[in-house]
């Protein structure tokens, strides 16, 4: 037991604590259970406990709770302590309530009563205790009970310590329940707290925190605080280090207040009033100048406090974006880059990242490139190296891209595992963004795969393929380079993927000796058996492409396809590919083969999905401004361009007329959105016809919901965190079940979903949904039911927005696959009826029940149905006429409403 | 709207939690996760590395005083250096109160450690930066508790 035991030490508590210490876990639990039983009996006993015992036992319970054990009683005794007029008893009572918040409403009523009494007690220490309790609990109930009372205390003629507590307490309530804290009439009096010349610094400090928070929401109401803040700041900055007495911290005058003032100013644009602005600039310059002065103390506290103000001032300078000050700030940070304090180097690197994104200081930041590269190479601390890598990324532009990318690549060889993936993404982005000649780009990405293949995500290798496909000036070079890269005896599987794809497309460009077609094929095939299923599937596609590119390889490749390990492979996908490709190569004519296996059309130009991935990795707020510029160009929909390629794939395949091509492909395509999942099956399906590959990741999401036009169940979305399954059924209204699965092992917090009907969809659809549980445990799945009523025909899809906290704040918006045909009710009719109605509907149309023996031509399919909307019923007839010889279909739709037939036609044509 | 400081943890080199203060509402499960992650990250840091870390979207600022680690999680926009001094100021206050504070003082007088923190921080914001002012109010509290209140303590009626 320590000698010191101030105040009225509770001996029993001290004995208990020393009893518990140094006990084994088991003995500890035993001792605790004994104590709990003892306390329980004391609380239940007939003898009324005196205040001291009650306090002691409550304190013991608290201790047990803080050790990590559950406590489910004692709340009432703690509440009793609140009404004691002994300070220590009250204090322990409040501490217990604050730590073990309980949502029992009866209890809350009692607690609130006690708080109310203390607030009106005029005893400043009691008032402070009560305010602390409100702030510590900070619940909505507290806000409801006290939000209107506290501003009164804040501006009343009370002791400073009470005012301070009231200000921060109000701030805390405002953060939980901004709607309940109505400043209105108090606003000017709160701002006035900054004004008072003689005011205790502590009150000003607390008041500024409150004002900063309030003014973020209502900048106009608090505008007058700007000039007050500037004059306060100016007084502090120009004061001698001893002027502020106890508010001087290690020879730095009022560092907390200074930083808070500088923070408050960051909520506003530069002051318009010339005099105020001049005074502020003077302050900022003084702060920058002071950084050059010799320190007044050798203590680290002195330099920390001084530099804390400096960094806050630099933040304000960055906020104002003023050229002169920016350059000065940058020079100051440049000095810190080589400071012996690791903390300062870290912060300088971090702060420079922001400076790099301003046009005024970008060049000044670039002058430090050598120092930063050196930091990347020599810093002992991984978090500092990480910041150096971030800064290199931020300062990169056309002039230094080659140098920076080369340095990052060489760093990757030894980089810490924790930051490799992010580094890879950064290199990939820079290489693409600043590629003047694409051969450099290709080299860089292949180097990436070679050096850090395991960390090269799908996005990265999809992207290199996309770019090679789109740029014919680099295709030959790319083919040659991958060919060389594949020569290595052990090369990464990602290299095999890229190699397979590129040689399959462009192997012909380099097919001269010594890279004859057979050599190319043998090279690829030598890697085949070492690869995973998705890669093998991709290689099989490359082989069939080879047959088209180089007819002379046909026999060899057919032999490979025919061997048991392929054609009877236990993996269904591989087997199917082997069978289909073998068949395709033997029955299709050269012309047909050439059409089916034609070189990929260029991908639509779009921004890289790698950026999105990087942003996701870094979490919100960590993306520098340079990246933000990119995201603007990127627009909302990442990867949106993937659709075309995927559609082409589908078209090509249905042309190939295997027995049921369209059914197969639909299945395949509907799985495509799973591409972002690391699961083998996901990525495998993505590149069935290789083309869909690059389009895959998450954002391919639900190409307007076409995937679900003819399906009611499936996976709507999947990434590494979340899978959303969907099931829908139609019974008068459309009932849609959404299944949100947490794929991680950690809980998702604040999980919420909203369904909205954008634009003209609002009057067309009525969507009702129940809110979901805000917590999704790791590995768990929750369900949400949507009830959707169709008011009139529509063509847009409702949007589903999902927000949750899983590692970082996640926010995604998906189109729900609600299409007009979901509201079909099948209709039976005879041939005569059908054609009678067919003729009546002179417009385009569509139907839904498949009708046998209706059409005179048995090859044709006809369907009929009625779309049920609240406003009207729209009859639809459909006729599908296949022409087997021409391998074409004609699809005709007739409906009683033109807009419906138009939309149905769009939806259905996507299905073939 | 943001809370600048999200939590403050005190734990020993052996990974024993000595004090926990949460400035935003979290479930017990989330708290346990934060505590575990902080101990794992911070205790693994070699000496003389910098005092800042990135964890999820938070900045972690930590500092070791003798056998105890003081560790706090900040919103992105908060000031790391100043936070180091918040920690230091707290240590000073503990020191002033206990006189040469050591881990044992905090174990045996955990409630006092909480009270001192409450005098200094509220809702994650600094309440009083003056050491005198804080020490003053703590002393006052101690005086209050040493005054023997002779009135009979009426037990509040049972509800």
């Amino acid at each position: 037991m320590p000698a010191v035991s101030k105040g009225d030490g509770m001996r029993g508590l001290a004995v208990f604590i020393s009893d518990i210490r140094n006990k084994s876990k088991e003995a500890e639990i035993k001792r605790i259970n004994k104590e709990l039983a003892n306390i329980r009996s004391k609380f239940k006993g007939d003898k009324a406990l005196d205040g001291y015992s009650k306090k002691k036992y409550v304190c013991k319970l608290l201790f047990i709770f803080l050790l990590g054990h559950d406590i489910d009683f004692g709340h009432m005794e703690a509440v009793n302590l609140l009404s004691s007029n002994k300070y220590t008893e009250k204090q322990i009572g409040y501490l217990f309530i604050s730590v073990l918040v309980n949502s029992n409403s009866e209890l809350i009523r009692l607690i609130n009563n006690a708080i109310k009494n203390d607030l009106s007690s005029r005893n400043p220490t009691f008032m402070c205790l009560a305010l602390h309790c409100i702030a510590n609990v900070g619940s909505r109930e507290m806000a409801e009970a006290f939000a209107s009372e506290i501003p009164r205390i804040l501006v009343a003629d009370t002791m400073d310590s009470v005012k301070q507590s009231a200000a921060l307490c109000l701030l805390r309530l405002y953060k939980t329940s901004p709607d309940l804290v109505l400043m209105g009439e108090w606003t000017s009096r709160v701002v006035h707290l900054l004004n008072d010349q003689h005011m205790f610094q502590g009150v000003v400090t607390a008041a500024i925190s409150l004002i900063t928070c309030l003014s973020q929401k209502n900048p106009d109401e608090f505008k007058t605080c700007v000039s007050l803040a500037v004059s306060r700041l100016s007084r502090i900055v120009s004061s001698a280090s001893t002027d502020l007495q106890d508010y001087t911290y290690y020879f730095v005058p009022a560092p907390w207040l200074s930083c808070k003032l500088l923070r408050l100013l960051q909520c506003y644009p530069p002051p318009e009033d010339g005099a105020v602005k001049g005074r502020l600039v003077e302050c900022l310059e003084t702060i920058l100048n002071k950084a050059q002065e010799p320190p007044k103390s050798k203590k680290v506290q002195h330099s920390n406090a001084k530099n804390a103000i400096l960094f806050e001032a630099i933040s304000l300078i960055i906020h104002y974006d003023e050229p002169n000050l920016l350059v000065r700030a940058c020079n100051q940070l440049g000095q810190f880059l080589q400071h012996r304090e690791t903390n300062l180097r870290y912060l300088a690197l971090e702060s420079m990242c922001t400076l790099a994104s301003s046009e005024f200081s970008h060049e000044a930041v670039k002058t430090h490139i050598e120092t930063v590269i050196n930091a990347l190479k020599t810093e002992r601390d991984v978090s500092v190296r990480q910041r150096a890598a971030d800064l290199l990324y931020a300062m990169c532009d056309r002039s230094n891209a080659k140098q920076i990318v080369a340095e990052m690549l060489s760093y990757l060889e030894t980089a810490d595992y924790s930051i490799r993936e992010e580094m890879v993404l950064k290199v990939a982005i820079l290489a693409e963004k600043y590629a003047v000649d694409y051969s450099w780009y290709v080299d860089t990405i292949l180097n990436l795969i070679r050096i850090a293949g395991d960390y090269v995500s799908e996005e990265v290798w999809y992207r290199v393929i996309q770019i090679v496909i789109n740029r014919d000036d680099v295709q030959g070079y790319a083919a040659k380079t991958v060919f060389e890269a594949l020569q290595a005896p052990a090369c990464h599987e990602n290299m095999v993927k890229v190699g397979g794809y590129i040689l399959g497309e462009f192997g012909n460009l380099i097919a001269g000796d010594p890279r004859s077609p057979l050599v190319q094929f043998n090279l690829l095939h030598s890697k085949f058996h070492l690869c995973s299923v998705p890669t093998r599937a991709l290689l099989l596609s490359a082989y069939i492409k080879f047959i088209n590119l180089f007819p002379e390889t046909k026999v060899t490749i057919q032999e490979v396809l025919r061997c048991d390990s392929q054609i009877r492979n236990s993996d269904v996908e591989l087997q199917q590919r082997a069978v289909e490709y073998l068949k395709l190569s033997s029955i299709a004519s050269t012309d047909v083969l050439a059409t089916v296996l034609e070189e990929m059309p260029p991908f639509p130009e779009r921004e890289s999905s790698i950026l999105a991935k990087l942003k996701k990795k870094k979490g919100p707020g960590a993306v520098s401004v340079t990246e933000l510029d990119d995201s603007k160009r990127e627009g909302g929909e990442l990867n949106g361009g993937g659709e075309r390629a995927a559609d082409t794939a589908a078209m090509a395949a249905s042309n190939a007329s295997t027995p049921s091509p369209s059914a197969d492909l639909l299945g395949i395509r509907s799985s495509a959105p799973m591409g972002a999942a690391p699961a083998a099956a996901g990525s495998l399906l993505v590149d069935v016809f290789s083309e869909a590959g690059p389009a895959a990741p998450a954002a391919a999401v639900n190409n307007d919901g076409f995937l679900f036009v003819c399906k009611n169940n499936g996976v709507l979305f999947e990434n590494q965190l979340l899978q959303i399954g969907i099931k829908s059924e139609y019974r008068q209204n459309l009932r849609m079940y959404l299944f949100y699965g947490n794929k991680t092992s950690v809980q998702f917090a604040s999980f919420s979903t909203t369904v909205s009907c954008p634009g003209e969809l609002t009057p067309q659809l009525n969507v009702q949904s129940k809110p979901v549980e805000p917590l999704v445990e790791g590995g768990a799945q929750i369900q949400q039911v949507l009830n959707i009523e169709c008011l009139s025909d529509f063509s847009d899809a409702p949007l589903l927005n999902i927000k949750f906290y899983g590692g970082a704040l996640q926010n995604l918006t998906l189109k729900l696959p609600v299409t007009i045909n979901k509201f079909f009710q099948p209709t039976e009719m005879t041939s005569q009826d059908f054609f009678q109605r067919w003729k009546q509907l002179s417009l385009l149309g569509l139907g839904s029940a498949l009708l046998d023996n209706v059409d005179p031509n048995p090859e044709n399919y006809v369907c009929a149905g009625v779309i049920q909307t609240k406003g009207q019923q729209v009859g639809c007839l459909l006729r599908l006429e296949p022409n087997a010889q021409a391998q074409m279909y004609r699809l005709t739709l007739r409906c009683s409403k033109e807009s419906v037939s138009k939309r149905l036609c769009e939806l259905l044509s996507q299905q073939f | 709207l943001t809370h600048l400081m999200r939590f403050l943890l005190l734990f020993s080199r052996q990974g024993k939690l000595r004090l926990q203060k949460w400035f935003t509402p979290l479930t017990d499960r989330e708290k346990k996760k934060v505590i575990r992650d902080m101990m794992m990250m911070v205790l693994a840091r070699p000496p003389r590395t910098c005092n800042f870390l990135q964890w999820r979207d938070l900045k972690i600022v930590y500092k070791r005083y003798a056998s105890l680690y003081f560790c706090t999680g900040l919103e992105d926009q908060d000031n790391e250096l100043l936070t180091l001094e918040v920690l230091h100021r707290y240590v000073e206050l503990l020191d002033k109160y206990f006189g040469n504070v050591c881990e044992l003082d905090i174990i045996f007088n955990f409630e006092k450690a909480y009270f001192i923190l409450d005098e200094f921080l509220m809702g994650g914001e600094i309440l009083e930066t003056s050491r005198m002012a804080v020490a003053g109010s703590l002393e006052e509290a101690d005086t209050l508790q040493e005054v023997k209140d002779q009135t009979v303590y009426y037990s509040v009626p049972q509800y």
Side-chain angles (χ1 to χ4, degrees):
Chain A
M1 236 183 295
V4 183
S5 180
K6 277 224 184 179
D8 62 341
M10 287 169 276
R11 202 178 151 70
L13 176 67
V15 171
F16 176 59
I17 293 175
S18 59
D19 240 21
I20 295 272
R21 289 193 67 230
N22 305 323
K23 272 212 160 68
S24 70
K25 196 77 198 164
E26 267 169 49
E28 177 188 310
I29 292 174
K30 219 170 138 193
R31 177 70 183 87
I32 283 173
N33 285 337
K34 189 178 147 206
E35 190 64 36
L36 286 176
N38 171 40
I39 298 174
R40 221 186 278 267
S41 74
K42 291 277 195 246
F43 282 169
K44 279 201 184 135
D46 304 331
K47 217 173 72 188
L49 289 175
D50 64 4
Y52 171 80
S53 318
K54 217 176 264 183
K55 176 179 83 169
K56 184 179 71 188
Y57 292 131
V58 165
C59 212
K60 278 185 182 173
L61 287 180
L62 196 55
F63 180 78
I64 293 170
F65 176 77
L66 290 170
L67 276 181
H69 303 269
D70 289 335
I71 294 295
D72 54 3
F73 69 103
H75 294 82
M76 193 53 81
E77 285 71 17
V79 173
N80 288 350
L81 287 175
L82 297 186
S83 350
S84 163
N85 39 22
K86 273 194 187 159
Y87 182 76
T88 45
E89 290 169 14
K90 205 186 258 299
Q91 200 181 21
I92 296 285
Y94 273 124
L95 180 61
F96 185 92
I97 300 291
S98 307
V99 175
L100 279 115
V101 186
N102 190 297
S103 53
N104 176 326
S105 58
E106 177 62 9
L107 213 55
I108 285 177
R109 203 179 54 78
L110 294 173
I111 296 168
N112 284 355
N113 259 341
I115 292 177
K116 220 165 250 158
N117 286 339
D118 282 334
L119 283 184
S120 51
S121 70
R122 301 194 157 269
N123 176 338
T125 41
F126 287 7
M127 289 172 87
C128 283
L129 279 182
L131 289 167
H132 268 289
C133 182
I134 299 172
N136 280 329
V137 177
S139 64
R140 183 144 184 105
E141 287 89 351
M142 287 279 178
E144 273 162 5
F146 301 108
S148 56
E149 175 68 20
I150 298 169
R152 221 183 306 266
I153 300 174
L154 175 58
V155 297
D157 192 19
T158 44
M159 268 180 68
D160 286 326
S161 59
V162 179
K163 275 183 198 272
Q164 278 162 271
S165 299
L168 292 185
C169 184
L170 194 58
L171 169 58
R172 178 72 166 82
L173 294 185
Y174 185 71
K175 283 168 175 172
T176 2
S177 319
D179 54 313
L180 294 177
V181 178
L182 302 169
M183 291 310 289
E185 47 183 319
W186 309 113
T187 305
S188 60
R189 298 181 67 178
V190 172
V191 174
H192 187 72
L193 291 175
L194 295 190
N195 197 12
D196 199 327
Q197 293 281 341
H198 310 289
M199 180 76 75
F200 204 39
Q201 297 276 358
V203 178
V204 183
T205 312
I208 290 179
S209 297
L210 175 65
I211 293 170
T212 304
C213 187
L214 292 172
S215 60
Q216 278 164 1
K217 266 275 172 68
N218 326 289
D220 283 345
E221 284 177 43
F222 290 89
K223 230 173 20 204
T224 45
C225 71
V226 173
S227 61
L228 293 174
V230 171
S231 62
R232 275 256 164 205
L233 182 67
S234 164
R235 273 207 306 279
I236 298 172
V237 169
S238 57
S239 69
S241 53
T242 49
D243 287 0
L244 299 165
Q245 292 143 8
D246 203 35
Y247 288 91
T248 297
Y249 182 82
Y250 290 88
F251 303 101
V252 181
W256 277 279
L257 183 53
S258 309
C259 285
K260 281 187 186 290
L261 289 165
L262 288 162
R263 173 75 47 78
L264 171 62
L265 291 170
Q266 287 170 55
C267 301
Y268 288 92
E272 282 157 21
D273 182 331
V276 178
K277 172 97 190 270
R279 211 165 165 199
L280 177 55
V281 170
E282 216 171 276
C283 287
L284 293 172
E285 282 174 341
T286 312
I287 294 171
L288 286 168
N289 291 340
K290 277 190 179 172
Q292 299 299 324
E293 290 171 11
K296 293 196 174 71
S297 155
K298 279 193 176 140
K299 295 243 180 195
V300 67
Q301 283 76 25
H302 171 72
S303 73
N304 279 352
K306 190 169 143 185
N307 291 325
I309 300 175
L310 178 63
F311 276 102
E312 206 59 63
I314 290 176
S315 297
L316 183 62
I317 290 171
I318 292 171
H319 173 70
Y320 287 167
D321 209 20
E322 248 221 12
N324 289 336
L325 288 170
L326 276 173
V327 171
R328 282 201 64 184
C330 189
N331 292 338
Q332 181 57 53
L333 293 177
Q335 289 181 17
F336 285 158
L337 284 182
Q338 314 210 41
H339 203 279
R340 62 187 167 77
E341 276 277 328
T342 316
N343 285 344
L344 284 180
R345 296 198 301 276
Y346 177 97
L347 294 175
L349 288 165
E350 187 184 62
S351 202
M352 266 204 183
C353 265
T354 335
L355 280 174
S357 58
S358 163
E359 54 170 323
F360 302 118
S361 48
H362 184 79
E363 287 304 315
V365 171
K366 273 169 62 185
T367 58
H368 300 287
I369 184 166
E370 296 301 335
T371 320
V372 182
I373 287 172
N374 199 36
L376 187 65
K377 286 178 177 161
T378 59
E379 281 289 351
R380 288 174 50 226
D381 185 342
V382 55
S383 41
V384 184
R385 290 198 295 272
Q386 164 103 56
R387 290 281 160 259
D390 285 350
L391 178 54
L392 281 180
Y393 177 76
M395 68 160 70
C396 191
D397 62 18
R398 212 164 283 287
S399 71
N400 55 20
K402 283 202 173 171
Q403 184 189 5
I404 286 179
V405 167
E407 292 294 348
M408 286 174 118
L409 269 177
S410 79
Y411 173 61
L412 250 182
E413 308 219 23
T414 54
D416 312 75
Y417 293 108
S418 55
I419 62 173
R420 279 198 188 178
E421 189 182 354
E422 196 182 313
M423 291 285 294
V424 166
L425 293 174
K426 285 183 165 158
V427 171
I429 289 167
L430 293 178
E432 178 185 341
K433 195 164 164 191
Y434 299 114
V436 187
D437 66 284
Y438 278 85
S439 50
W440 173 71
Y441 169 74
V442 170
D443 284 342
T444 305
I445 301 296
L446 293 186
N447 268 329
L448 263 189
I449 297 177
R450 203 172 11 235
I451 295 168
D454 282 344
Y455 299 88
V456 171
S457 57
E458 282 175 345
E459 283 85 352
V460 174
W461 72 262
Y462 287 172
R463 189 68 182 159
V464 69
I465 284 172
Q466 247 171 53
I467 286 175
V468 170
I469 300 261
N470 284 16
R471 305 201 56 99
D472 40 22
D473 51 336
V474 77
Q475 290 160 356
Y477 180 80
K480 185 170 138 272
T481 321
V482 290
F483 180 85
E484 278 156 19
L486 287 174
Q487 300 293 332
C491 56
H492 195 272
E493 188 161 335
N494 279 336
M495 188 69 89
V496 179
K497 287 180 180 159
V498 175
Y501 199 108
I502 288 184
L503 290 180
E505 291 292 327
F506 308 114
N508 56 329
L509 300 177
I510 55 159
D513 200 44
R515 295 176 293 236
S516 73
L518 263 180
V519 172
Q520 288 186 35
F521 171 75
N522 287 331
L523 179 61
L524 282 180
H525 198 54
S526 69
K527 317 281 181 197
F528 187 91
H529 301 281
L530 301 171
C531 292
S532 63
V533 168
T535 309
R536 289 190 196 190
L538 184 147
L539 284 178
L540 289 178
S541 297
Y543 296 171
I544 185 79
K545 289 232 162 193
F546 263 56
I547 294 185
N548 176 47
L549 288 182
F550 314 114
E552 65 267 38
T553 60
K554 182 168 166 178
V555 182
T556 320
I557 290 176
Q558 281 184 333
E559 225 161 86
V560 168
L561 293 175
R562 203 177 290 122
C563 77
D564 275 0
S565 63
Q566 307 293 359
I567 213 158
R568 291 175 200 274
N569 194 295
S570 61
D571 185 275
V572 151
E573 180 63 33
L574 291 181
Q575 189 187 102
Q576 184 175 357
R577 283 190 194 213
V579 171
E580 286 185 5
Y581 292 161
L582 182 61
K583 201 73 184 158
L584 180 66
S585 68
S586 34
I587 60 171
S589 68
T590 341
D591 284 353
V592 171
L593 262 189
T595 319
V596 175
L597 302 168
E598 202 179 0
E599 188 181 306
M600 284 305 302
F603 288 86
E605 283 299 332
R606 61 194 149 108
E607 280 300 327
S608 161
S609 55
I610 305 176
L611 263 180
K613 169 129 182 169
L614 180 65
K615 273 175 223 161
K616 221 167 109 188
K617 263 198 82 64
K618 302 250 359 176
V623 184
S624 82
V625 182
T626 350
E627 289 164 37
L628 288 176
D629 288 343
D630 291 322
S631 68
K632 270 182 221 140
R633 274 188 280 136
E634 197 169 16
E637 203 166 332
L638 304 157
N639 257 328
E643 290 160 34
R644 206 186 107 199
D647 293 343
T648 328
M651 290 310 237
S654 59
N655 282 342
S657 81
T658 34
S660 59
S662 60
D664 265 352
L665 273 166
L666 278 180
I668 287 159
R669 286 194 53 211
S670 54
S671 309
M674 288 169 58
S683 41
L684 173 139
L685 287 166
V686 165
D687 40 73
V688 163
F689 277 81
S690 341
E691 302 80 351
V701 175
N702 41 356
N703 312 321
D704 263 344
F706 289 137
L707 302 169
F708 283 90
V709 170
C710 294
K711 276 168 55 113
N712 289 326
N713 310 329
V715 175
L716 177 66
F717 172 86
E718 181 158 1
N719 65 14
Q720 272 137 347
L721 302 174
L722 180 72
Q723 185 193 56
I724 304 175
I726 197 163
K727 198 173 135 186
S728 52
E729 60 188 30
Y730 176 75
R731 271 189 233 137
Q732 289 169 323
N733 288 335
L734 182 66
R735 200 165 266 249
M736 192 168 258
Y737 299 87
L738 294 168
F739 302 90
Y740 304 98
N742 180 346
K743 291 173 62 181
T744 67
S745 54
V746 294
Q747 186 187 49
F748 292 162
S750 316
F751 193 92
S752 72
T753 67
T754 35
V755 179
S756 57
C757 294
E760 57 184 21
L761 198 57
T762 319
Q764 294 168 339
L765 277 187
N766 178 14
V767 183
Q768 289 165 338
S769 60
K770 285 210 185 98
V772 289
E773 288 295 313
L775 295 180
V776 188
E777 299 296 333
Q781 190 184 57
I782 56 167
Q783 182 188 339
Q784 183 179 34
V785 186
L786 305 181
N787 197 18
I788 304 167
E789 185 184 21
C790 179
L791 302 176
S792 71
D793 65 285
F794 62 95
S795 51
D796 286 340
L799 297 178
L800 171 68
N801 179 267
I802 302 150
K803 287 200 187 100
F804 61 94
Y805 189 86
L809 186 69
Q810 307 286 334
N811 187 348
L812 41 107
T813 302
L814 306 170
K815 280 188 177 176
L816 277 176
V818 178
T819 46
I820 184 79
N821 62 306
K822 298 285 179 196
F823 297 88
F824 256 127
Q825 193 152 60
T827 309
E828 292 294 332
M829 56 179 76
T830 63
S831 176
Q832 197 187 351
D833 284 348
F834 183 88
F835 281 101
Q836 194 182 350
R837 287 172 202 220
W838 185 257
K839 280 164 199 149
Q840 282 165 357
L841 295 170
S842 52
L843 307 163
L844 274 173
L846 157 90
S848 180
L850 187 60
L851 304 176
D852 290 331
N853 306 321
V854 170
D855 201 285
N857 182 345
E859 299 283 294
N860 292 357
Y861 296 96
V862 295
C863 311
V866 176
I867 291 187
Q868 307 280 356
T869 75
K870 198 180 181 194
Q872 63 180 131
Q873 300 188 330
V874 184
C876 308
L877 303 174
L878 171 150
R879 199 170 176 204
L880 182 68
E881 300 161 86
N883 180 339
Q885 274 143 1
Q887 293 160 359
M888 285 164 71
Y889 291 104
R890 182 166 73 190
L891 172 70
T892 320
L893 294 125
R894 291 188 178 181
C895 303
S896 57
K897 193 170 180 191
E898 189 181 351
S899 57
V900 174
S901 53
K902 197 161 158 256
R903 180 63 186 156
L904 281 173
C905 201
E906 284 166 14
L907 291 172
L908 279 173
S909 60
Q910 299 292 338
Q911 301 299 316
F912 293 101
Chain B
L1 281 172
T2 55
H3 297 260
L4 296 180
M5 195 185 276
R6 297 267 194 92
F7 57 81
L8 172 68
L9 305 176
L10 264 64
F11 48 84
S12 71
R13 226 146 41 104
Q14 290 77 31
K16 289 253 186 209
L17 187 64
R18 297 302 180 202
L19 181 139
Q20 45 175 319
K21 186 83 182 174
W22 306 91
F23 301 113
T24 42
L26 287 179
T27 62
D28 286 347
R29 211 189 136 104
E30 289 166 325
K31 287 179 185 172
K32 286 197 174 123
K33 166 97 179 114
V34 173
I35 293 169
R36 203 176 51 232
D37 282 7
M38 288 307 117
M39 287 192 188
M40 223 165 64
M41 279 170 43
V42 170
L43 294 176
R45 301 271 293 169
R48 283 187 302 284
T49 45
C50 79
N51 297 91
F52 316 128
L53 291 171
Q54 186 81 33
W55 178 78
R56 301 195 185 165
D57 56 342
L58 294 186
K59 289 175 179 173
I60 307 303
V61 176
Y62 73 93
K63 188 159 181 178
R64 184 178 153 183
Y65 287 90
S67 59
L68 267 190
Y69 283 90
F70 289 66
C71 171
T72 170
L74 307 178
E75 297 280 334
D76 206 32
Q77 62 268 45
D78 208 357
N79 191 316
E80 292 102 326
L81 284 176
L82 203 60
T83 306
L84 271 181
E85 295 321 298
V86 169
L87 298 181
H88 186 75
R89 188 31 63 101
Y90 182 43
V91 175
E92 284 183 351
L93 291 169
L94 290 170
D95 202 57
K96 193 169 163 70
Y97 184 81
F98 290 108
N100 257 332
V101 66
C102 67
E103 195 183 337
L104 280 180
D105 292 319
I106 294 171
I107 296 173
F108 279 92
N109 301 282
F110 70 97
E111 80 284 6
K112 294 286 189 306
Y114 278 93
F115 297 149
I116 295 171
L117 187 61
D118 267 352
E119 291 294 333
F120 174 53
L121 290 178
M122 187 190 249
E125 295 274 350
I126 192 145
L127 179 62
E128 178 53 73
T129 60
S130 156
R131 189 165 47 168
M132 305 271 273
V134 176
S137 57
L138 286 169
E139 214 144 279
E140 192 181 339
D142 269 349
T143 326
L144 275 176
Q145 68 190 17
E146 273 153 13
V147 170
K148 285 279 174 235
D149 192 340
Q150 296 303 325
T151 53
V152 182
Y153 180 76
Y154 294 104
S155 176
V156 176
Q158 295 291 317
Y159 295 91

